[in-house]
Amino acid sequence: MTKSLQFVSGGGEMGALIRAYNWESSPVGPADKWPQSLRTTLNILLNSKFPMFLYWGTNLVCFYNDAYRFSLGNDGKHPLLLGMKGEEAFPETWHIVKPPIDQVLADGEATWSEDQYVPIYREGTLKDAYWTFSFSPVKDESNKTAGVFLTLIETTEKFNNLKKIEESNDQLSFAIEATELGTFDFNPLTNKFIGNNRLKDWFGLPHEIEVDLTLAINVMVEKDRSRVTDAIQKTLQFESGGLYDIEFGIITPVTKQERIVRAKGKVWFGDDKTAYRFTGTLQDITEQAIARKKIEESEQRFRNLILQAPVPINTFQGPFFIVDTINKTALEIWGKTYQEVINKPVFDSSPELEDSIKKILHNVYTTGEPFIANEIPVQVKRTGKPDTAYFNTVYQPLRDLDNKIYGIIAIGTEVTEAVNARKQIEASEKRFSNILEQSLMAVSIFKGREMRISFMNEPMIVMFGKGRDVIGKPLIEVLPEIEGQPFPQLLDDVYTTGVPHYGYEMPGTLVRNGKAEETYFNFVYQPYREVDNSITGIVVIGTEVGVQVIAKKQIEESENRFRTFADSIQNLAWIANAEGFIYWYNQRWYDYTGTTLEEMEGSGWQKVHHPDKVKKVTEFLSEAWKKDEAFELTCQLRGYDGKYRWFLTRAYPVKDANENIERWIGTNTDIHEQKEKEQKKDEFISIASHEMKTPLTTAKGYLDLLLLLFSEENQTAFSYANKAKQAVDRLNSFVTELLDASKIQNGKLDYNISMFEFNEMVDEAIEDIQLTAKNHSVQKTANNTRQIKGDRDRLQQVMINLLGNAVKYSPNGEKVIIKVEEQDGNIQVSVQDFGVGMSSQHLDKVFDRYYRVQEHAVYFQGLGIGLYISKNIIERHQGKIWAESELEKGSTFYFTLPL
């Protein structure tokens, strides 16, 4: 070692190589001429255990230490790199290395690169390699950048591992996607978890990084929530082993789709046995769960079918024929209890069966061939005694999904009694045949696909118009004319499918008394099944319905005549169902209103009623439809020209045989001219009443003066004046009623509302009536001391009217009874007389304006408006008024007022 290279003492292999190198011929010149900055840098480089490389001078001469030397491998560029120019040393990668070197030389700032791809020549070839490195400036004595110092570490292995991890993650992600799994990673400390988007979509959760566990629990089917919560808490306990496997249901909030998932996971525990991580997957097993449930249900149904079957059924498992399932019927035949045979080899518990069925079971189990036999003898125990029974038996192999035989099902039908009673059955069949022969319905049986006639009773013989010699012949031979018609194909369809066919009102010809008659038939084509349910023929049952069809046609013709009649009358007619849904109008209705059925159907009639009256009419009809009686009302209907006319509506219920309303038939009669005349009459009466009021008041005043002037000495004059005053009073009362009726019609009857003692008002009315009713005793049998709100004078007018009528219409009576009671928040008043009474047909009409009971009109004076006014007054007080009466036994008038 020359004295000039003492500063590089040590430094391992590269220190020795630097000291032995002939630097005089190199671009950096002899070592004794090297600047102190180079010496210092090399000293640092050689004594570092971290891979380092130095490019020095304008030629970027290469220096490196032992730690870097290992990166060059064997059969590479070591040791030739030492002292070479950088461009010559790394021609294959110089385009990658040179730019950061130039950057450092230019601005004096260090660079940093992580996992940078820079291939390197080693092991005799150029190898892919990745590096994390930094280029730093090395300043000379003039503070200029004289070299570039490279510290680096090879990250090829790390990069490849990361790449493998990414590939593994990609493969895992692909696997998860391919298997359609949801993944989760739960932090027990924060109660939050992350999961893939599939899992969050299932739970309807946002795609944020973390989600609270409670949100996921709330999406689960309610019955599973506590079970899943308990399972999670148990898994988080160290003693559980940390394994998690559970099935539960979820309902996605957005789509409302219900799915069943299986969650599997593992919990990670720290040294203190505390759970710090819980990861796992969710698999949608909805289809599997449904399929499994169906299989379980199918197996359960299969077992239930066996247990509930009325025939002996049992199943054997395995080559030792262990009894797996057996029903009660089989146990009774074996004479065993369930506990004695279940889950035991059959011949251990029932050795008496060995001789009869052991070979059969073995053969079915080993060959897979079912065994079917009829009336085979089997030794059985009944009530503890051995007996021989006969069975129709099927031994069928049971196979699993791989078609491997795992057991046998034995189904038996005991025919012991059938064998002994075969003759009885034959006799029974004969009786059955006799019943068919005597039946009024036409019955025939066709056997086989060729439809050979095996039975035909007399009504069917008549219907065919043939003799009994047809029995035993094919149908097509007996009736060749049906070839090519639908009938043979229809029979074949029933025979093939087993589905009955019904024909109604089919036209046909019947030979009766030697004459062919056109008539109609109902037919039933029923498959004829044997005991084993196989179809061997067709049963044909025919019923003549000519009379019914003709009657129905007559009804249809009658309805057509009715419609023709209804369309020709001048009235507007309609028909509604029992609930008042109008489904038919006559043509006169459409002509008048200019509408169609589509517009009028149901409650469409409201469109042509006067808008001011629709609500009132609707309320009236809603009650009328509920009653079991005819009704009528007046209303205004709009014509096609937009003008309204008055009509009288009458409706009558049509009832069935059970007195239930089937429909309503109604008419609307034009009474417009009559209504106008009535209005003119009302106007005349109103004007006349007003004009008469003043002279009547004047006459009454003068008569009162005359009564004061005449003394008892002039009895004749006093009597005449008094009679005149009574006549004027009656006339004045009539005029007052006429005026009130007119005001009611015009909605102008005034009311003065106040609180008053109701009982006191009633007593005054009684007192007024009692003064003039000398032959009657007005008796009040109940009282009410409550105050009510209303027009005292108007309500007293009602009382006087009812009491006056009671007196007037009971000329031979001696008393009138009045009751004042409180019922359900109302005051109810009743006025009862014992007079002439009236029939029920008048009860609703007596409150109509000007209505008089005809049989009373001759004997009792009146205008027929007192009750009309009374009803209006009561209804204006939100009350109700009605009457009960019986001819020759008196009447009772009621009204109620709300308290």
Side-chain angles (χ1 to χ4, degrees):
M1 178 178 67
T2 63
K3 185 178 181 181
S4 61
L5 290 174
Q6 290 179 350
F7 69 92
V8 290
S9 60
E13 179 189 0
M14 291 310 300
L17 290 174
I18 290 173
R19 290 192 295 274
Y21 194 84
N22 181 14
W23 294 105
E24 291 185 1
S25 59
S26 73
V28 294
D32 57 358
K33 299 285 182 69
W34 287 358
Q36 184 60 44
S37 55
L38 176 57
R39 294 166 180 256
T40 302
T41 303
L42 285 175
N43 191 41
I44 294 171
L45 180 146
L46 291 171
N47 289 286
S48 175
K49 298 300 181 181
F50 198 84
M52 294 183 179
F53 199 98
L54 176 64
Y55 293 99
W56 187 264
T58 58
N59 292 302
L60 301 175
V61 177
C62 298
F63 297 89
Y64 55 96
N65 62 3
D66 284 358
Y68 180 82
R69 177 254 176 280
F70 290 108
S71 300
L72 298 173
N74 300 319
D75 298 328
K77 295 188 177 184
H78 175 75
L80 299 177
L81 283 179
L82 183 64
M84 290 182 68
K85 295 179 182 180
E87 186 175 5
E88 295 173 355
F90 301 107
E92 66 278 359
T93 59
W94 194 241
H95 64 285
I96 300 174
V97 176
K98 186 62 164 52
I101 294 175
D102 290 340
Q103 181 180 341
V104 173
L105 292 173
D107 55 22
E109 296 291 334
T111 68
W112 172 265
S113 297
E114 187 171 3
D115 294 332
Q116 175 71 45
Y117 172 70
V118 182
I120 190 168
Y121 187 86
R122 56 189 174 193
E123 278 74 43
T125 185
L126 190 65
K127 301 277 190 179
D128 288 341
Y130 294 86
W131 313 83
T132 295
F133 55 80
S134 174
F135 287 101
S136 305
V138 179
K139 304 291 185 178
D140 60 12
E141 285 70 18
S142 63
N143 202 33
K144 292 182 179 179
T145 303
V148 177
F149 190 66
L150 172 63
T151 56
L152 74 167
I153 183 169
E154 186 173 358
T155 60
T156 302
E157 185 176 358
K158 167 198 159 187
F159 181 84
N160 289 335
N161 287 338
L162 288 175
K163 187 175 181 181
K164 289 180 181 178
I165 291 173
E166 287 181 3
E167 291 174 353
S168 177
N169 286 340
D170 289 342
Q171 291 173 355
L172 177 61
S173 176
F174 176 77
I176 290 174
E177 288 299 320
T179 56
E180 298 184 345
L181 293 176
T183 62
F184 66 87
D185 192 338
F186 175 60
N187 187 337
L189 302 177
T190 64
N191 203 46
K192 295 183 182 297
F193 72 93
I194 58 175
N196 65 355
N197 289 342
R198 177 178 290 108
L199 179 140
K200 292 180 180 178
D201 289 340
W202 285 351
F203 282 82
L205 301 173
H207 289 187
E208 285 85 0
I209 296 176
E210 289 188 327
V211 178
D212 193 280
L213 178 62
T214 306
L215 294 177
I217 295 294
N218 290 339
V219 177
M220 297 177 186
V221 175
E222 187 173 357
K223 65 181 179 64
D224 292 338
R225 293 175 188 169
S226 59
R227 182 171 59 86
V228 174
T229 302
D230 293 343
I232 292 174
Q233 295 302 321
K234 181 179 179 181
T235 306
L236 293 174
Q237 302 299 317
F238 182 79
E239 295 76 13
S240 70
L243 295 180
Y244 178 72
D245 190 346
I246 192 170
E247 294 180 10
F248 55 86
I250 58 175
I251 300 177
T252 304
V254 177
T255 63
K256 304 302 181 185
Q257 179 184 0
E258 182 174 355
R259 66 179 79 238
I260 301 170
V261 298
R262 181 181 183 183
K264 298 186 69 174
K266 177 177 175 57
V267 175
W268 308 88
F269 299 96
D271 294 338
D272 60 353
K273 299 183 180 180
T274 300
Y276 66 87
R277 189 179 183 190
F278 180 12
T279 62
T281 61
L282 261 72
Q283 180 184 6
D284 187 342
I285 61 167
T286 304
E287 292 184 3
Q288 299 95 307
I290 293 173
R292 185 176 64 206
K293 185 177 180 181
K294 287 182 178 179
I295 291 172
E296 292 172 354
E297 290 174 349
S298 176
E299 290 180 349
Q300 188 59 48
R301 285 196 299 271
F302 175 67
R303 290 183 177 274
N304 289 341
L305 178 64
I306 292 176
L307 295 175
Q308 297 172 15
V311 297
I313 303 177
N314 58 276
T315 60
F316 306 110
Q317 295 278 357
F320 297 104
F321 309 118
I322 295 172
V323 179
D324 179 60
T325 310
I326 186 167
N327 65 4
K328 183 179 179 181
T329 308
L331 287 170
E332 290 175 352
I333 293 173
W334 289 15
K336 304 288 183 180
T337 65
Y338 186 79
Q339 290 73 21
E340 286 176 328
V341 300
I342 197 68
N343 296 327
K344 297 177 183 177
V346 61
F347 302 121
D348 288 356
S349 60
S350 303
E352 67 275 11
L353 297 176
E354 189 167 356
D355 293 339
S356 57
I357 66 171
K358 184 175 182 178
K359 289 182 179 179
I360 296 173
L361 294 178
H362 178 75
N363 188 63
V364 172
Y365 189 82
T366 54
T367 67
E369 294 292 330
F371 176 83
I372 302 173
N374 295 326
E375 301 180 6
I376 63 170
V378 178
Q379 294 300 313
V380 298
K381 285 186 178 181
R382 300 185 194 273
T383 63
K385 297 180 180 180
D387 191 15
T388 300
Y390 294 88
F391 291 89
N392 292 341
T393 306
V394 177
Y395 294 91
Q396 183 80 28
L398 295 174
R399 299 178 183 269
D400 58 20
L401 295 177
D402 297 324
N403 204 37
K404 183 179 179 181
I405 296 174
Y406 68 88
I408 296 173
I409 181 170
I411 305 174
T413 303
E414 185 174 2
V415 293
T416 305
E417 294 182 3
V419 170
N420 297 330
R422 187 173 290 123
K423 291 183 179 181
Q424 294 179 359
I425 293 175
E426 292 174 353
S428 176
E429 289 180 348
K430 183 63 178 177
R431 287 194 298 271
F432 175 70
S433 177
N434 290 338
I435 291 173
L436 294 181
E437 284 288 359
Q438 298 170 22
S439 173
L440 296 177
M441 294 185 295
V443 181
S444 61
I445 300 175
F446 305 143
K447 299 301 290 287
R449 190 171 290 277
E450 63 179 356
M451 299 299 154
R452 190 175 295 273
I453 302 172
S454 68
F455 174 83
M456 185 176 287
N457 68 356
E458 189 61 28
M460 185 64 80
I461 292 288
V462 172
M463 190 178 293
F464 265 57
K466 306 287 184 178
R468 284 197 172 272
D469 58 345
V470 300
I471 295 176
K473 297 179 180 180
L475 181 63
I476 194 68
E477 181 181 324
V478 176
L479 297 174
E481 62 270 20
I482 67 173
E483 187 171 2
Q485 295 183 7
F487 180 60
Q489 182 61 47
L490 181 61
L491 292 176
D492 189 70
D493 289 344
V494 175
Y495 185 89
T496 303
T497 65
V499 178
H501 177 80
Y502 303 89
Y504 299 101
E505 300 178 6
M506 300 172 64
T509 303
L510 181 65
V511 178
R512 200 172 353 233
N513 299 325
K515 295 181 180 180
E517 298 179 8
E518 296 298 324
T519 185
Y520 297 87
F521 301 92
N522 287 347
F523 278 103
V524 178
Y525 306 102
Q526 184 81 26
Y528 185 95
R529 297 181 182 272
E530 300 293 344
V531 176
D532 61 358
N533 206 37
S534 62
I535 298 173
T536 60
I538 303 292
V539 178
V540 179
I541 302 173
T543 306
E544 185 192 358
V545 292
V547 175
Q548 297 94 310
V549 173
I550 293 171
K552 186 170 73 171
K553 288 186 175 182
Q554 290 174 344
I555 292 172
E556 291 174 353
E557 292 173 358
S558 175
E559 289 183 350
N560 289 333
R561 287 195 298 271
F562 164 75
R563 292 176 185 273
T564 302
F565 166 75
D567 285 338
S568 64
I569 62 175
Q570 290 302 307
N571 297 65
L572 281 60
W574 47 267
I575 301 176
N577 65 13
E579 289 73 35
F581 183 94
I582 300 179
Y583 57 86
W584 178 86
Y585 293 90
N586 69 347
Q587 189 59 43
R588 175 70 177 130
W589 175 280
Y590 300 128
D591 292 341
Y592 174 74
T593 61
T595 60
T596 63
L597 179 61
E598 287 74 15
E599 295 176 274
M600 294 291 101
E601 194 173 31
S603 58
W605 53 266
Q606 297 179 5
K607 300 175 184 177
V608 297
H609 272 248
H610 198 288
D612 296 342
K613 307 294 184 182
V614 167
K615 181 179 179 182
K616 185 175 181 181
V617 173
T618 302
E619 291 173 351
F620 174 83
L621 290 176
S622 65
E623 294 298 322
W625 301 129
K626 300 175 185 177
K627 297 179 180 179
D628 189 11
E629 57 189 29
F631 64 84
E632 63 179 40
L633 74 155
T634 57
C635 57
Q636 291 176 278
L637 299 179
R638 187 185 68 239
Y640 68 91
D641 56 0
K643 297 179 181 179
Y644 287 90
R645 294 182 66 84
W646 284 97
F647 285 83
L648 172 62
T649 300
R650 290 190 177 95
Y652 304 90
V654 178
K655 301 178 182 179
D656 60 18
N658 298 319
E659 288 299 307
N660 296 317
I661 295 178
E662 282 188 337
R663 58 187 179 272
W664 293 84
I665 296 179
T667 60
N668 296 74
T669 304
D670 191 331
I671 59 168
H672 191 72
E673 285 73 18
Q674 176 184 341
K675 195 72 174 179
E676 285 185 335
K677 291 178 181 178
E678 189 176 297
Q679 289 175 347
K680 290 178 181 179
K681 180 181 72 173
D682 290 340
E683 291 173 3
F684 169 75
I685 291 174
S686 178
I687 294 170
S689 300
H690 277 286
E691 293 300 323
M692 292 171 65
K693 193 68 174 176
T694 300
L696 283 173
T697 303
T698 303
K700 184 176 181 299
Y702 281 118
L703 288 170
D704 286 337
L705 290 174
L706 285 173
L707 289 172
L708 292 174
L709 292 175
F710 295 139
S711 64
E712 295 182 0
E713 296 176 357
N714 194 345
Q715 284 295 323
T716 301
F718 182 85
S719 175
Y720 290 157
N722 190 46
K723 289 183 180 293
K725 180 179 180 299
Q726 290 176 357
V728 169
D729 285 343
R730 284 197 300 274
L731 183 57
N732 188 58
S733 177
F734 289 154
V735 171
T736 300
E737 287 184 347
L738 287 171
L739 286 173
D740 284 349
S742 177
K743 289 178 181 179
I744 289 173
Q745 283 295 103
N746 296 310
K748 296 181 179 179
L749 189 62
D750 296 328
Y751 291 86
N752 297 313
I753 306 301
S754 64
M755 295 295 294
F756 65 92
E757 292 284 348
F758 187 79
N759 200 60
E760 183 181 284
M761 178 273 291
V762 173
D763 289 341
E764 290 180 5
I766 293 173
E767 185 179 347
D768 288 347
I769 291 297
Q770 194 66 77
L771 291 174
T772 57
K774 302 299 184 181
N775 299 324
H776 291 76
S777 170
V778 181
Q779 301 174 7
K780 188 167 67 166
T781 63
N783 287 296
N784 187 286
T785 58
R786 298 283 293 275
Q787 285 194 335
I788 72 165
K789 187 176 183 179
D791 188 319
R792 189 181 192 278
D793 292 338
R794 291 295 182 190
L795 291 174
Q796 190 174 61
Q797 180 180 349
V798 173
M799 289 300 310
I800 291 174
N801 183 272
L802 295 180
L803 290 169
N805 283 350
V807 171
K808 180 168 67 173
Y809 290 102
S810 58
N812 300 321
E814 297 179 353
K815 62 181 178 180
V816 173
I817 298 175
I818 180 170
K819 292 182 181 179
V820 182
E821 304 172 291
E822 183 176 336
Q823 292 185 356
D824 301 326
N826 295 307
I827 284 182
Q828 178 173 298
V829 178
S830 63
V831 178
Q832 181 182 11
D833 67 60
F834 301 89
V836 295
M838 56 184 152
S839 56
S840 59
Q841 67 189 53
H842 301 292
L843 291 178
D844 286 339
K845 298 178 182 179
V846 293
F847 297 100
D848 293 346
R849 189 170 48 147
Y850 305 133
Y851 187 82
R852 301 294 312 284
V853 178
Q854 292 300 318
E855 52 264 36
H856 299 161
V858 178
Y859 304 103
F860 303 99
Q861 295 181 347
L863 296 177
I865 58 177
L867 290 176
Y868 168 74
I869 294 171
S870 297
K871 180 181 179 183
N872 185 268
I873 292 172
I874 294 301
E875 288 180 348
R876 283 291 298 271
H877 282 79
Q878 312 304 317
K880 296 180 180 179
I881 187 169
W882 70 97
E884 296 175 355
S885 185
E886 190 173 349
L887 199 61
E888 303 300 336
K889 292 186 179 181
S891 303
T892 303
F893 283 79
Y894 300 85
F895 69 84
T896 61
L897 296 170
L899 287 171

